């Protein structure tokens, strides 16, 4: 189920049916704006084309857009991207892009390359396997405990969150799936009442969503299979079937790198 919590705000809107990034490294400027000339930094790859960004809460929207690009694999592992060049394509100055990239550097998604920009972190299967193992160590016992104590009606209110993952998977939207997947897991773990646990688990979840180096594109069928595990997990939690709960959560994490 994982495509990978922070809630930095709504993702920036862009025109329906239009890819937020140019294909074939062809740059596009936002409609009605002339891109600023990138100065002082260089990139070894052409940055993705723009997502239209509303002027309010620019930094939060840029951060959301960059995170979505990481999940989608549109920011390529190992490639270097400059803040001025990305800013020109978002139609904003380099400052909010640089601030968002610094946040992603803290999270481990990118690394700073002095005088050049930011390199997307290269990750391998071993890292994903380690993340899955740690997540299972945290979430499996918590969910088993919750299954014993949380009444059925409290699980039922999470059904719309599970259905949201199915809706995102049905249209093959990996970024929307990643967001809805994290929202579902956050809601489940929040029932524990342990805010620190929710924060740690959510950070691990987000990191598990970043793509592998030269990793395969997640297919719609795989997303749908992962999403179906959410609804099956809810059914098992309502039924207090601990064996099924444990098996589903472990299977879910093991499929997180698909």
């Amino acid at each position: 189920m994982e495509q990978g919590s922070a809630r930095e705000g709504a993702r920036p809107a862009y025109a329906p049916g239009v890819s937020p990034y140019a294909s074939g490294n062809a740059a596009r400027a936002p409609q009605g704006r002339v891109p600023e000339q990138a100065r002082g930094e260089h990139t070894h790859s052409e940055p993705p084309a723009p997502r239209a960004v509303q002027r309010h809460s620019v930094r939060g929207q840029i951060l959301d857009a960059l995170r979505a690009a990481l999940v989608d694999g549109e920011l390529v592992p190992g490639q270097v991207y400059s803040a001025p060049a990305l800013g020109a394509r978002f139609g904003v100055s380099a400052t909010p892009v640089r601030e968002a990239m610094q946040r992603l550097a803290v999270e481990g998604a990118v690394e700073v390359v002095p005088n050049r920009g930011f390199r997307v972190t290269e990750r391998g299967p071993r890292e994903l396997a380690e993340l899955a193992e740690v997540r299972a160590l945290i979430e499996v016992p918590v969910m088993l405990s919750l299954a014993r104590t949380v009444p059925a009606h409290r699980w039922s209110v999470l059904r719309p969150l599970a259905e949201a993952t199915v809706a995102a998977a049905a249209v093959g939207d990996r970024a929307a799936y990643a967001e809805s997947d994290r929202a579902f897991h956050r809601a489940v773990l929040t029932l524990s009442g342990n805010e620190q646990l929710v924060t740690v688990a959510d950070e691990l979840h987000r990191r598990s969503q970043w793509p592998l180096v030269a990793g395969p594109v997640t297919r719609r069928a795989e997303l749908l299979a992962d999403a179906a595990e959410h609804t099956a997990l809810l059914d098992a939690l309502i039924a207090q079937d601990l064996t099924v709960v444990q098996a589903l959560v472990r299977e879910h994490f093991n499929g997180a790198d698909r």
Side-chain angles (χ1 to χ4, degrees):
M1 41 202 168
E2 312 309 70
Q3 272 259 355
S5 69
R7 301 173 208 170
E8 275 79 13
R11 290 176 55 200
Y14 47 83
V18 177
S19 171
Y21 294 94
S23 60
N25 291 332
R28 288 202 304 263
Q31 234 181 6
R33 294 190 64 94
V34 177
E36 299 174 3
Q37 181 67 32
R39 297 177 181 174
E41 293 180 324
H42 302 281
T43 177
H44 284 181
S45 63
E46 191 67 25
R51 294 176 190 260
V53 178
Q54 300 176 15
R55 298 308 301 175
H56 66 282
S57 188
V58 172
R59 181 174 59 181
Q61 291 186 67
I62 291 295
L63 180 59
D64 287 343
L66 291 171
R67 282 174 169 164
L70 284 167
V71 172
D72 285 337
E74 293 164 344
L75 290 178
V76 180
Q79 297 291 345
V80 178
Y81 298 91
S82 72
L86 286 171
R89 285 157 178 78
F90 282 117
V92 299
S93 71
T95 299
V97 175
R98 190 175 290 110
E99 291 172 346
M101 281 294 202
Q102 292 288 355
R103 172 69 179 271
L104 292 174
V106 171
E107 296 176 358
V110 302
E111 58 185 5
V112 178
V113 181
N115 301 318
R116 292 174 60 199
F118 301 86
R119 178 183 291 113
V120 178
T121 301
E122 299 182 82
R123 305 164 62 245
R126 178 175 179 177
E127 182 178 348
L128 280 184
E130 291 173 349
L131 285 168
E133 181 180 1
V134 175
R135 290 189 64 205
L137 288 172
I138 294 174
E139 295 196 33
V140 170
V142 172
M143 289 192 187
L144 291 176
S145 176
L146 292 173
R148 297 185 184 99
T149 58
V150 174
H153 73 273
R154 296 192 68 187
W155 291 122
S156 297
V157 301
L158 302 187
R159 187 75 62 182
L161 295 176
E163 292 172 349
T165 68
V166 176
V171 296
D173 189 335
R174 294 191 300 275
Y177 180 85
E179 293 177 2
S180 58
D181 185 25
R182 289 196 310 274
F184 175 80
H185 278 262
R186 283 197 305 271
V188 170
L189 297 178
T190 295
L191 293 175
S192 71
N194 188 328
E195 295 182 4
Q196 299 304 314
L197 181 147
V198 174
T199 299
V200 170
D202 190 67
E203 176 61 22
L204 291 170
H205 193 160
R206 184 185 296 283
R207 289 175 59 191
S208 74
Q209 295 174 329
W210 302 334
L212 292 168
V213 176
V217 174
T218 305
R219 294 175 297 181
R220 183 180 304 181
E222 293 169 335
L223 289 180
L224 283 169
D226 284 348
E229 292 172 358
H230 290 127
T231 54
L233 176 59
L234 271 184
D235 292 338
L237 288 166
I238 291 171
Q240 295 186 322
D241 190 331
L242 304 187
T243 301
V244 173
V245 169
Q246 179 167 330
L248 280 172
V249 176
R250 289 190 179 279
E251 180 181 352
H252 191 56
F253 292 160
N254 289 336
D257 58 340
R258 292 184 297 194

